[in-house]
Amino acid sequence: MDLEALLHHYFGTEDLDALDAAAIEDGRQRVEIAFGTERDSGRRFALWIVLHALGSAPEPEVAFKDAKDRKAAEDYAWAAQRMERR
């Protein structure tokens, strides 16, 4: 999935910095709902990444039943944490 398309779909813009807190919260809730109902693993993973960037992602062991998806989420979270520290 294209990140810009996801942001535009759920937030109405690709520039989250242009949104106020209420608009971000509304978009985050829409992403959470989509994540909870999505069955395609690739789409679920993309939605999880958006939630992770917003600080709202469930832990990988809760979010993903499939071991490969769970490992990919753990690896992503680890890499994102390392980037934040820099």
Side-chain angles (χ1 to χ4, degrees), residues 30-44:
R30 287 190 290 273
V31 174
E32 278 187 347
I33 291 167
F35 177 78
T37 59
E38 182 60 59
R39 299 296 167 230
D40 178 82
S41 65
R43 289 183 180 143
R44 275 183 56 84

Side-chain angles (χ1 to χ4, degrees), residues 26-73:
D26 288 345
R28 186 196 60 75
Q29 287 178 359
R30 287 190 290 273
V31 174
E32 278 187 347
I33 291 167
F35 177 78
T37 59
E38 182 60 59
R39 299 296 167 230
D40 178 82
S41 65
R43 289 183 180 143
R44 275 183 56 84
F45 190 77
L47 293 167
W48 183 86
I49 288 175
V50 172
L51 290 173
H52 187 273
L54 295 171
S56 299
E59 293 297 320
E61 60 271 7
V62 173
F64 300 102
K65 293 178 184 177
D66 181 79
K68 289 188 331 186
D69 291 342
R70 190 170 45 252
K71 175 71 169 129

